[in-house]
Structure formats: structure tokens, C-alpha cells
Amino acid sequence: MESKSAYIIGHITVKDAEKWAEYCRRVPDTVAPWGASLVFRGCNAQVLAGEHRYTDTVVIRFPDRSAVDAWHESAAYRELIPIRQQAADVVIVSYEE
């Protein structure tokens, strides 16, 4: 059975731009060992339906769900969580294809 790609989508509202920049600069090194790649990072242009209170979104592709789980539980990423919490209000959701 072929593994399905998995994605994380982060919905973000930045509270501290300097800390957020540090977090964003450091995250790529934490996802690289898991074969992940940035798909999209951008600011909200327009809400077309419903409510969406976040201003920014990021999408990262992983080879499979186990890679998402391993990355999220990794020491390298766990070290960044306090910076993320100080820098922004964030909701991270994972999806599988």
C-alpha cells in the first residue's frame, strides 16, 4: 500500500513580529529531517465564506502522517514551541491525502 502525503496547515495571527521571524527562520531545520517541504506561506487576501480570524496561513507537505507526528514530537521542534506561543496565536491541523 502506497503511503499518502500528509500536510500541516497553520492558521496564524502574529503578536510579536520579531519573535515570529525567529520562529519562521528556525522551523525549516526542524522539518527537513522528515522529508517535508514548504508548499505555501501567505497572508489572508479575502475570506470568501464563513469566519476566519487568522491573518496568515502556512502549508507544509510531509511524506506521510508518521513523519508529521515524528516532527511534531521531535526535540528540535518542541524547543521552538515557547517561541511560537509568544510570537503568535496559532492553530496547527494535519491532513492526509
Coordinates of all heavy atoms in Angstrom, one line a residue:
M1 N 0.8 -1.2 0.0 CA 0.0 0.0 0.0 C 0.9 1.3 0.0 O 1.8 1.4 0.8 CB -0.9 0.0 1.2 CG -1.8 1.1 1.3 SD -2.9 0.9 2.7 CE -3.6 2.5 2.9
E2 N 0.6 2.1 -0.9 CA 1.4 3.4 -1.0 C 1.0 4.3 0.1 O -0.2 4.5 0.4 CB 1.1 4.0 -2.4 CG 1.9 5.2 -2.7 CD 1.6 5.8 -4.1 OE1 1.3 5.0 -5.0 OE2 1.6 7.0 -4.2
S3 N 2.0 5.0 0.7 CA 1.7 5.9 1.8 C 1.2 7.2 1.1 O 1.5 7.6 0.0 CB 2.9 6.2 2.6 OG 3.9 6.8 1.9
K4 N 0.3 7.8 1.9 CA -0.3 9.1 1.4 C 0.5 10.3 2.0 O 0.9 10.2 3.1 CB -1.8 9.2 1.9 CG -2.6 8.0 1.5 CD -4.0 8.1 2.1 CE -4.9 7.0 1.6 NZ -6.2 7.1 2.2
S5 N 0.6 11.3 1.2 CA 1.3 12.5 1.7 C 0.4 13.1 2.8 O -0.8 12.9 2.8 CB 1.4 13.5 0.6 OG 2.3 13.1 -0.4
A6 N 1.0 13.8 3.7 CA 0.3 14.4 4.8 C 0.7 15.9 4.8 O 1.8 16.2 4.4 CB 0.6 13.8 6.1
Y7 N -0.1 16.7 5.3 CA 0.1 18.2 5.3 C -0.2 18.7 6.7 O -1.1 18.2 7.4 CB -0.8 18.9 4.3 CG -0.6 18.4 2.9 CD1 -1.1 17.3 2.4 CD2 0.3 19.2 2.1 CE1 -0.9 16.9 1.1 CE2 0.5 18.8 0.8 CZ -0.1 17.6 0.3 OH 0.1 17.2 -1.0
I8 N 0.5 19.7 7.1 CA 0.1 20.5 8.2 C -0.3 21.9 7.7 O 0.3 22.4 6.7 CB 1.1 20.7 9.4 CG1 2.4 21.4 8.9 CG2 1.4 19.3 10.0 CD1 3.2 22.0 10.0
I9 N -1.4 22.4 8.2 CA -1.8 23.8 7.9 C -1.8 24.5 9.2 O -2.4 24.1 10.2 CB -3.2 23.8 7.2 CG1 -3.2 23.0 5.9 CG2 -3.7 25.2 7.0 CD1 -4.5 22.8 5.2
G10 N -1.1 25.6 9.2 CA -1.1 26.5 10.3 C -1.8 27.8 10.0 O -1.6 28.4 9.0
H11 N -2.8 28.1 10.9 CA -3.5 29.3 10.8 C -3.0 30.2 11.9 O -2.9 29.8 13.1 CB -5.0 29.1 11.0 CG -5.6 28.2 10.0 ND1 -5.8 28.6 8.7 CD2 -6.0 26.9 10.0 CE1 -6.3 27.6 8.0 NE2 -6.5 26.6 8.8
I12 N -2.5 31.4 11.5 CA -1.7 32.3 12.4 C -2.2 33.7 12.5 O -2.6 34.3 11.4 CB -0.3 32.3 11.8 CG1 0.2 30.8 11.6 CG2 0.7 33.1 12.6 CD1 1.0 30.6 10.3
T13 N -2.1 34.3 13.7 CA -2.2 35.7 13.8 C -1.0 36.1 14.7 O -0.8 35.7 15.8 CB -3.5 36.1 14.6 OG1 -4.6 35.7 13.8 CG2 -3.5 37.6 14.8
V14 N -0.1 36.9 14.0 CA 1.2 37.3 14.7 C 0.9 38.3 15.7 O 0.2 39.3 15.5 CB 2.2 37.8 13.6 CG1 3.5 38.3 14.2 CG2 2.4 36.8 12.5
K15 N 1.6 38.1 16.9 CA 1.5 39.0 18.0 C 2.8 39.8 18.2 O 2.8 40.9 18.6 CB 1.2 38.3 19.3 CG -0.1 37.5 19.4 CD -0.4 36.9 20.7 CE 0.6 35.8 21.0 NZ 0.3 35.0 22.2
D16 N 4.0 39.1 17.9 CA 5.3 39.7 18.0 C 6.1 39.4 16.8 O 6.6 38.3 16.6 CB 6.0 39.2 19.3 CG 7.3 39.7 19.5 OD1 8.1 40.0 18.6 OD2 7.7 39.9 20.7
A17 N 6.2 40.4 15.9 CA 6.8 40.1 14.6 C 8.3 39.7 14.7 O 8.7 38.8 13.9 CB 6.7 41.4 13.7
E18 N 9.0 40.2 15.6 CA 10.4 39.8 15.7 C 10.5 38.3 16.2 O 11.3 37.6 15.6 CB 11.1 40.7 16.8 CG 12.6 40.5 16.9 CD 13.2 41.5 17.8 OE1 13.0 42.7 17.6 OE2 14.0 41.1 18.7
K19 N 9.8 37.9 17.1 CA 9.8 36.5 17.6 C 9.2 35.6 16.5 O 9.7 34.5 16.3 CB 9.0 36.3 18.9 CG 9.8 36.9 20.1 CD 9.1 36.6 21.4 CE 9.9 37.2 22.5 NZ 9.4 37.0 23.8
W20 N 8.2 36.1 15.8 CA 7.7 35.2 14.7 C 8.7 35.0 13.6 O 8.8 33.9 13.1 CB 6.4 35.9 14.1 CG 5.8 35.0 13.1 CD1 5.7 35.2 11.8 CD2 5.2 33.7 13.3 NE1 5.1 34.2 11.1 CE2 4.7 33.2 12.1 CE3 5.0 32.9 14.4 CZ2 4.1 32.0 11.9 CZ3 4.3 31.7 14.3 CH2 3.9 31.2 13.0
A21 N 9.5 36.1 13.3 CA 10.5 35.9 12.3 C 11.5 34.9 12.7 O 12.0 34.1 11.9 CB 11.1 37.3 12.0
E22 N 11.9 34.9 14.0 CA 12.8 33.9 14.5 C 12.3 32.5 14.4 O 12.9 31.6 14.0 CB 13.2 34.2 16.0 CG 14.1 33.2 16.6 CD 14.3 33.3 18.1 OE1 13.8 34.3 18.7 OE2 15.0 32.4 18.7
Y23 N 11.0 32.3 14.8 CA 10.4 31.0 14.7 C 10.4 30.5 13.2 O 10.8 29.4 12.9 CB 9.0 31.1 15.2 CG 8.1 29.9 15.1 CD1 8.2 28.8 15.9 CD2 7.2 29.8 14.0 CE1 7.4 27.7 15.8 CE2 6.4 28.7 13.9 CZ 6.6 27.6 14.7 OH 5.8 26.5 14.6
C24 N 10.0 31.4 12.3 CA 9.9 31.0 10.9 C 11.3 30.7 10.3 O 11.4 29.8 9.5 CB 9.3 32.2 10.1 SG 7.5 32.4 10.4
R25 N 12.3 31.4 10.8 CA 13.6 31.1 10.4 C 14.1 29.8 10.8 O 14.9 29.1 10.1 CB 14.6 32.2 10.9 CG 16.0 32.1 10.5 CD 16.9 33.3 11.0 NE 16.7 33.6 12.4 CZ 17.2 32.9 13.5 NH1 17.9 31.8 13.3 NH2 17.0 33.2 14.7
R26 N 13.7 29.3 12.0 CA 14.2 28.1 12.6 C 13.4 26.8 12.2 O 13.9 25.7 12.3 CB 14.3 28.3 14.1 CG 15.3 29.3 14.5 CD 15.4 29.6 16.0 NE 15.7 28.4 16.7 CZ 15.8 28.3 18.1 NH1 15.5 29.4 18.8 NH2 16.1 27.2 18.7
V27 N 12.1 27.0 11.9 CA 11.3 25.8 11.6 C 11.8 25.0 10.4 O 11.8 23.7 10.5 CB 9.8 26.2 11.3 CG1 9.0 25.1 10.7 CG2 9.2 26.7 12.6
P28 N 12.3 25.5 9.3 CA 12.8 24.7 8.2 C 13.8 23.6 8.6 O 13.7 22.5 8.1 CB 13.4 25.7 7.2 CG 12.6 26.9 7.4 CD 12.4 27.0 8.9
D29 N 14.7 23.9 9.5 CA 15.7 23.0 10.0 C 15.0 21.8 10.8 O 15.5 20.7 10.9 CB 16.7 23.6 10.9 CG 17.7 24.5 10.1 OD1 17.8 24.3 8.9 OD2 18.3 25.3 10.7
T30 N 13.8 22.1 11.4 CA 13.1 21.0 12.1 C 12.3 20.1 11.2 O 12.1 18.9 11.6 CB 12.2 21.6 13.2 OG1 11.0 22.2 12.6 CG2 13.0 22.6 14.1
V31 N 11.9 20.6 10.1 CA 11.1 19.7 9.2 C 11.9 19.0 8.2 O 11.5 17.9 7.7 CB 10.0 20.5 8.4 CG1 9.0 21.1 9.4 CG2 10.5 21.5 7.5
A32 N 13.1 19.5 7.8 CA 14.0 18.9 6.8 C 14.3 17.4 7.1 O 14.2 16.6 6.2 CB 15.3 19.7 6.7
P33 N 14.6 17.0 8.3 CA 14.9 15.6 8.6 C 13.7 14.6 8.3 O 13.9 13.4 8.1 CB 15.3 15.5 10.1 CG 15.7 16.9 10.4 CD 14.9 17.8 9.5
W34 N 12.6 15.2 8.2 CA 11.4 14.3 8.0 C 10.9 14.4 6.5 O 9.8 13.9 6.2 CB 10.2 14.8 8.9 CG 10.7 14.9 10.3 CD1 11.0 16.0 11.1 CD2 11.2 13.8 11.2 NE1 11.5 15.7 12.3 CE2 11.6 14.4 12.4 CE3 11.2 12.4 11.0 CZ2 12.1 13.6 13.4 CZ3 11.7 11.6 12.1 CH2 12.1 12.2 13.3
G35 N 11.7 14.9 5.7 CA 11.4 15.0 4.2 C 10.3 15.9 3.9 O 9.6 15.7 2.9
A36 N 10.1 16.9 4.7 CA 9.0 17.9 4.5 C 9.4 19.1 3.6 O 10.6 19.4 3.5 CB 8.5 18.4 5.8
S37 N 8.5 19.7 3.0 CA 8.7 20.9 2.2 C 7.6 21.9 2.3 O 6.4 21.5 2.5 CB 8.9 20.5 0.7 OG 7.8 19.9 0.2
L38 N 8.0 23.2 2.3 CA 7.0 24.3 2.4 C 6.2 24.3 1.0 O 6.8 24.3 0.0 CB 7.7 25.6 2.6 CG 6.9 26.8 2.6 CD1 6.0 26.8 3.8 CD2 7.7 28.1 2.6
V39 N 4.9 24.3 1.2 CA 4.0 24.4 0.0 C 3.6 25.8 -0.2 O 3.6 26.3 -1.3 CB 2.8 23.5 0.2 CG1 1.8 23.7 -1.0 CG2 3.2 22.0 0.3
F40 N 3.2 26.5 0.9 CA 2.7 27.8 0.8 C 2.8 28.5 2.1 O 2.6 28.0 3.2 CB 1.2 27.7 0.4 CG 0.4 29.0 0.5 CD1 0.5 29.9 -0.5 CD2 -0.3 29.3 1.6 CE1 -0.2 31.1 -0.5 CE2 -1.0 30.5 1.7 CZ -0.9 31.4 0.6
R41 N 3.1 29.8 2.1 CA 3.1 30.7 3.2 C 2.5 32.0 2.7 O 3.1 32.6 1.7 CB 4.4 30.9 3.8 CG 4.4 31.8 5.0 CD 5.8 32.2 5.5 NE 6.7 31.1 5.7 CZ 6.9 30.5 6.8 NH1 6.3 30.8 7.9 NH2 7.8 29.5 6.9
G42 N 1.5 32.5 3.3 CA 0.9 33.8 2.8 C 0.0 34.5 3.8 O -0.4 33.9 4.8
C43 N -0.4 35.6 3.4 CA -1.4 36.4 4.2 C -2.8 36.3 3.6 O -2.9 36.1 2.4 CB -1.0 37.9 4.2 SG 0.6 38.2 5.0
N44 N -3.8 36.4 4.5 CA -5.2 36.3 4.1 C -5.5 37.4 3.1 O -5.4 38.6 3.5 CB -6.0 36.3 5.3 CG -7.5 36.1 5.1 OD1 -7.9 35.8 4.0 ND2 -8.3 36.3 6.1
A45 N -6.0 37.1 1.9 CA -6.4 38.1 1.0 C -7.9 38.4 1.1 O -8.3 39.6 1.1 CB -6.1 37.6 -0.4
Q46 N -8.7 37.4 1.4 CA -10.1 37.6 1.4 C -10.8 36.3 2.0 O -10.4 35.2 1.5 CB -10.7 37.9 0.1 CG -12.1 38.1 0.0 CD -12.6 38.4 -1.4 OE1 -11.9 38.3 -2.4 NE2 -13.9 38.8 -1.5
V47 N -11.7 36.4 2.9 CA -12.5 35.3 3.4 C -13.7 35.3 2.5 O -14.5 36.2 2.4 CB -12.9 35.5 4.9 CG1 -13.8 34.3 5.3 CG2 -11.7 35.5 5.8
L48 N -13.9 34.2 1.8 CA -14.9 34.0 0.8 C -16.2 33.5 1.4 O -17.3 33.7 0.8 CB -14.5 33.2 -0.4 CG -13.3 33.7 -1.1 CD1 -12.8 32.8 -2.2 CD2 -13.6 35.1 -1.8
A49 N -16.1 32.7 2.5 CA -17.3 32.2 3.1 C -17.0 31.9 4.5 O -15.9 31.5 4.9 CB -17.8 30.9 2.4
G50 N -17.9 32.1 5.4 CA -17.7 31.8 6.8 C -16.8 32.8 7.5 O -16.6 33.9 7.1
E51 N -16.3 32.4 8.7 CA -15.5 33.3 9.5 C -14.1 32.7 9.6 O -13.9 31.5 9.8 CB -16.0 33.4 10.9 CG -17.3 34.2 11.0 CD -17.9 34.3 12.4 OE1 -17.1 34.4 13.3 OE2 -19.1 34.3 12.5
H52 N -13.1 33.5 9.5 CA -11.7 33.1 9.7 C -10.9 34.2 10.3 O -10.7 35.3 9.7 CB -11.1 32.8 8.3 CG -9.7 32.2 8.4 ND1 -9.5 30.9 8.8 CD2 -8.5 32.7 8.1 CE1 -8.2 30.7 8.7 NE2 -7.6 31.8 8.3
R53 N -10.5 34.0 11.6 CA -10.0 35.2 12.3 C -8.5 35.3 12.2 O -7.9 36.2 12.7 CB -10.3 35.0 13.8 CG -9.7 33.9 14.5 CD -10.1 33.9 16.0 NE -9.4 32.9 16.7 CZ -8.4 33.2 17.5 NH1 -7.9 34.4 17.6 NH2 -7.8 32.2 18.2
Y54 N -7.8 34.4 11.5 CA -6.4 34.4 11.3 C -5.9 35.2 10.1 O -6.7 35.3 9.1 CB -5.8 33.0 11.3 CG -6.1 32.2 12.6 CD1 -7.2 31.4 12.6 CD2 -5.4 32.4 13.7 CE1 -7.6 30.7 13.8 CE2 -5.7 31.7 14.9 CZ -6.8 30.9 14.9 OH -7.1 30.3 16.1
T55 N -4.8 35.8 10.2 CA -4.3 36.6 9.1 C -3.3 35.9 8.2 O -3.2 36.3 7.0 CB -3.6 37.9 9.7 OG1 -2.5 37.4 10.5 CG2 -4.5 38.7 10.5
D56 N -2.6 34.9 8.7 CA -1.6 34.2 7.9 C -1.9 32.7 7.8 O -2.5 32.2 8.8 CB -0.2 34.4 8.5 CG 0.2 35.9 8.5 OD1 -0.6 36.8 8.5 OD2 1.4 36.1 8.4
T57 N -1.4 32.1 6.8 CA -1.5 30.6 6.7 C -0.2 30.0 6.2 O 0.5 30.7 5.4 CB -2.7 30.2 5.7 OG1 -3.9 30.7 6.3 CG2 -2.8 28.7 5.6
V58 N 0.1 28.8 6.7 CA 1.3 28.1 6.1 C 0.8 26.7 5.9 O 0.0 26.1 6.6 CB 2.5 28.1 7.1 CG1 2.2 27.5 8.4 CG2 3.7 27.6 6.4
V59 N 1.4 26.1 4.8 CA 1.1 24.7 4.5 C 2.4 24.0 4.2 O 3.3 24.5 3.4 CB 0.2 24.6 3.2 CG1 0.0 23.1 2.9 CG2 -1.1 25.3 3.4
I60 N 2.7 22.9 4.9 CA 3.9 22.1 4.8 C 3.5 20.7 4.4 O 2.7 20.1 5.1 CB 4.7 22.2 6.1 CG1 5.1 23.6 6.4 CG2 6.0 21.3 5.9 CD1 5.8 23.8 7.7
R61 N 4.2 20.1 3.4 CA 3.9 18.8 3.0 C 4.9 17.8 3.6 O 6.1 18.1 3.5 CB 4.0 18.6 1.4 CG 3.8 17.2 0.9 CD 4.0 17.0 -0.6 NE 3.1 17.9 -1.3 CZ 3.6 18.8 -2.2 NH1 4.9 19.0 -2.4 NH2 2.8 19.6 -2.8
F62 N 4.5 16.7 4.1 CA 5.3 15.6 4.6 C 5.0 14.4 3.8 O 4.0 14.2 3.2 CB 4.9 15.4 6.1 CG 5.4 16.4 7.1 CD1 4.6 17.6 7.2 CD2 6.5 16.2 7.8 CE1 5.0 18.6 8.1 CE2 6.9 17.2 8.7 CZ 6.2 18.4 8.9
P63 N 6.0 13.4 3.8 CA 5.8 12.2 3.0 C 4.6 11.4 3.5 O 4.0 10.7 2.7 CB 7.1 11.4 3.2 CG 8.1 12.4 3.8 CD 7.3 13.5 4.4
D64 N 4.3 11.4 4.8 CA 3.2 10.6 5.3 C 2.9 11.1 6.7 O 3.6 12.0 7.3 CB 3.5 9.1 5.4 CG 4.8 8.8 6.1 OD1 5.1 9.4 7.1 OD2 5.5 7.9 5.6
R65 N 1.8 10.6 7.3 CA 1.4 11.0 8.6 C 2.4 10.7 9.7 O 2.5 11.5 10.7 CB 0.0 10.4 8.9 CG -0.6 11.1 10.1 CD -2.0 10.6 10.2 NE -2.2 10.1 11.5 CZ -3.2 9.3 11.9 NH1 -4.2 9.0 11.0 NH2 -3.3 8.8 13.1
S66 N 3.1 9.6 9.6 CA 4.1 9.3 10.7 C 5.2 10.3 10.7 O 5.7 10.6 11.8 CB 4.6 7.9 10.5 OG 5.4 7.8 9.3
A67 N 5.5 10.9 9.5 CA 6.5 12.0 9.5 C 6.0 13.2 10.2 O 6.8 13.9 10.9 CB 7.0 12.3 8.1
V68 N 4.8 13.5 10.0 CA 4.2 14.7 10.7 C 4.3 14.5 12.2 O 4.7 15.4 13.0 CB 2.7 14.9 10.3 CG1 2.0 15.9 11.2 CG2 2.6 15.3 8.9
D69 N 3.8 13.3 12.7 CA 3.8 13.0 14.1 C 5.3 13.0 14.7 O 5.5 13.6 15.7 CB 3.2 11.6 14.4 CG 1.7 11.6 14.0 OD1 1.1 12.7 13.9 OD2 1.2 10.5 13.8
A70 N 6.2 12.5 13.9 CA 7.6 12.4 14.4 C 8.2 13.9 14.5 O 8.9 14.2 15.5 CB 8.5 11.6 13.5
W71 N 7.9 14.7 13.5 CA 8.3 16.1 13.5 C 7.7 16.8 14.7 O 8.5 17.5 15.4 CB 8.0 16.8 12.2 CG 8.0 18.3 12.4 CD1 9.1 19.1 12.4 CD2 6.9 19.2 12.6 NE1 8.8 20.4 12.6 CE2 7.4 20.5 12.7 CE3 5.5 19.0 12.6 CZ2 6.6 21.6 12.9 CZ3 4.7 20.1 12.8 CH2 5.2 21.3 12.9
H72 N 6.4 16.7 14.9 CA 5.8 17.4 15.9 C 6.3 17.1 17.3 O 6.3 17.9 18.2 CB 4.2 17.3 15.8 CG 3.5 18.2 16.7 ND1 3.0 17.9 17.9 CD2 3.3 19.6 16.5 CE1 2.4 19.0 18.4 NE2 2.6 20.0 17.6
E73 N 6.6 15.8 17.5 CA 7.1 15.3 18.8 C 8.7 15.4 18.9 O 9.2 15.2 20.0 CB 6.7 13.9 19.0 CG 5.2 13.7 19.1 CD 4.6 14.6 20.2 OE1 5.1 14.6 21.3 OE2 3.5 15.2 20.0
S74 N 9.3 15.9 17.9 CA 10.8 16.0 17.9 C 11.3 17.0 18.9 O 10.6 18.0 19.1 CB 11.4 16.3 16.5 OG 11.1 17.6 16.1
A75 N 12.5 16.7 19.5 CA 13.1 17.7 20.4 C 13.3 19.0 19.7 O 13.2 20.1 20.3 CB 14.4 17.1 21.0
A76 N 13.8 19.0 18.5 CA 14.1 20.2 17.7 C 12.9 21.1 17.6 O 12.9 22.3 17.8 CB 14.6 19.9 16.3
Y77 N 11.7 20.5 17.3 CA 10.5 21.3 17.2 C 10.0 21.7 18.5 O 9.6 22.9 18.7 CB 9.4 20.7 16.3 CG 8.2 21.6 16.2 CD1 8.3 22.7 15.5 CD2 7.0 21.4 16.9 CE1 7.3 23.7 15.4 CE2 6.0 22.3 16.8 CZ 6.1 23.4 16.1 OH 5.1 24.3 16.0
R78 N 10.0 20.8 19.5 CA 9.5 21.1 20.8 C 10.2 22.3 21.4 O 9.6 23.1 22.2 CB 9.7 19.9 21.7 CG 8.7 18.8 21.4 CD 7.4 19.1 22.0 NE 6.4 18.2 21.7 CZ 5.1 18.5 21.7 NH1 4.7 19.7 21.9 NH2 4.2 17.7 21.4
E79 N 11.5 22.5 21.1 CA 12.3 23.6 21.6 C 11.7 25.0 21.1 O 11.9 26.0 21.7 CB 13.7 23.5 21.1 CG 14.7 24.5 21.5 CD 16.1 24.2 21.0 OE1 16.6 23.1 21.2 OE2 16.6 25.1 20.3
L80 N 11.0 24.9 19.9 CA 10.5 26.2 19.3 C 9.1 26.5 19.8 O 8.7 27.7 19.6 CB 10.5 26.1 17.8 CG 11.8 25.9 17.1 CD1 11.6 25.8 15.6 CD2 12.8 27.0 17.5
I81 N 8.4 25.6 20.4 CA 7.0 25.9 20.8 C 6.9 27.1 21.7 O 6.0 27.9 21.5 CB 6.4 24.6 21.4 CG1 6.2 23.6 20.3 CG2 5.1 25.0 22.1 CD1 5.7 22.3 20.8
P82 N 7.8 27.3 22.7 CA 7.6 28.5 23.6 C 7.8 29.8 22.7 O 7.0 30.8 23.0 CB 8.7 28.4 24.6 CG 9.0 26.9 24.7 CD 8.8 26.4 23.3
I83 N 8.6 29.8 21.7 CA 8.8 31.0 20.9 C 7.5 31.2 20.1 O 7.0 32.3 20.0 CB 10.0 30.8 19.9 CG1 11.3 30.7 20.8 CG2 10.1 32.0 18.9 CD1 12.5 30.3 19.9
R84 N 7.0 30.1 19.5 CA 5.7 30.2 18.7 C 4.6 30.7 19.6 O 3.9 31.6 19.2 CB 5.3 28.8 18.2 CG 4.1 28.8 17.3 CD 3.5 27.4 17.1 NE 2.8 27.0 18.3 CZ 2.7 25.8 18.7 NH1 3.2 24.8 18.0 NH2 2.0 25.5 19.8
Q85 N 4.5 30.3 20.8 CA 3.4 30.7 21.7 C 3.5 32.2 22.1 O 2.5 32.9 22.2 CB 3.4 29.8 23.0 CG 2.9 28.4 22.7 CD 3.0 27.5 23.8 OE1 3.9 27.7 24.7 NE2 2.2 26.5 23.9
Q86 N 4.7 32.7 22.2 CA 4.9 34.1 22.5 C 4.7 34.9 21.2 O 4.3 36.1 21.3 CB 6.4 34.3 23.0 CG 6.6 33.7 24.3 CD 8.1 33.8 24.7 OE1 8.9 34.3 24.0 NE2 8.5 33.2 25.9
A87 N 5.1 34.4 20.1 CA 5.1 35.1 18.8 C 3.7 35.3 18.2 O 3.4 36.3 17.5 CB 6.0 34.5 17.8
A88 N 2.8 34.3 18.3 CA 1.6 34.3 17.6 C 0.5 33.4 18.2 O 0.8 32.5 19.0 CB 1.9 33.8 16.1
D89 N -0.7 33.7 17.8 CA -1.8 32.7 18.1 C -1.9 31.8 16.9 O -2.0 32.3 15.7 CB -3.2 33.5 18.2 CG -3.2 34.4 19.4 OD1 -2.6 34.0 20.5 OD2 -3.8 35.4 19.4
V90 N -1.7 30.5 17.1 CA -1.6 29.5 16.0 C -2.5 28.3 16.3 O -2.5 27.8 17.4 CB -0.1 29.1 15.9 CG1 0.0 28.0 14.8 CG2 0.8 30.2 15.7
V91 N -3.1 27.9 15.2 CA -3.8 26.6 15.2 C -3.1 25.8 14.1 O -3.0 26.2 13.0 CB -5.3 26.7 14.9 CG1 -6.0 25.4 14.7 CG2 -6.0 27.5 15.9
I92 N -2.6 24.6 14.5 CA -2.0 23.7 13.5 C -2.9 22.4 13.4 O -3.2 21.8 14.4 CB -0.6 23.3 14.0 CG1 0.3 24.5 14.1 CG2 0.0 22.3 13.0 CD1 1.7 24.2 14.7
V93 N -3.2 22.1 12.2 CA -4.0 21.0 11.8 C -3.3 20.1 10.8 O -2.7 20.6 9.9 CB -5.4 21.4 11.2 CG1 -6.3 20.3 11.0 CG2 -6.1 22.5 12.1
S94 N -3.4 18.8 11.0 CA -2.8 17.9 10.0 C -3.9 17.2 9.2 O -5.0 17.0 9.6 CB -1.9 16.8 10.7 OG -2.6 15.9 11.4
Y95 N -3.5 17.0 7.9 CA -4.4 16.4 7.0 C -3.6 15.3 6.2 O -2.4 15.4 6.0 CB -5.0 17.4 5.9 CG -5.9 18.4 6.5 CD1 -5.4 19.6 7.0 CD2 -7.2 18.2 6.6 CE1 -6.2 20.5 7.6 CE2 -8.1 19.1 7.2 CZ -7.6 20.3 7.7 OH -8.4 21.2 8.2
E96 N -4.4 14.3 5.7 CA -3.8 13.3 4.9 C -4.5 13.3 3.5 O -5.7 13.6 3.4 CB -4.1 11.9 5.5 CG -2.9 11.0 5.5 CD -3.2 9.7 6.3 OE1 -4.4 9.4 6.6 OE2 -2.2 9.0 6.6
E97 N -3.7 13.0 2.4 CA -4.4 13.0 1.1 C -5.2 11.7 1.0 O -4.9 10.7 1.6 CB -3.3 13.0 0.0 CG -2.8 14.3 -0.3 CD -1.8 14.3 -1.5 OE1 -0.9 13.5 -1.6 OE2 -2.1 15.2 -2.3

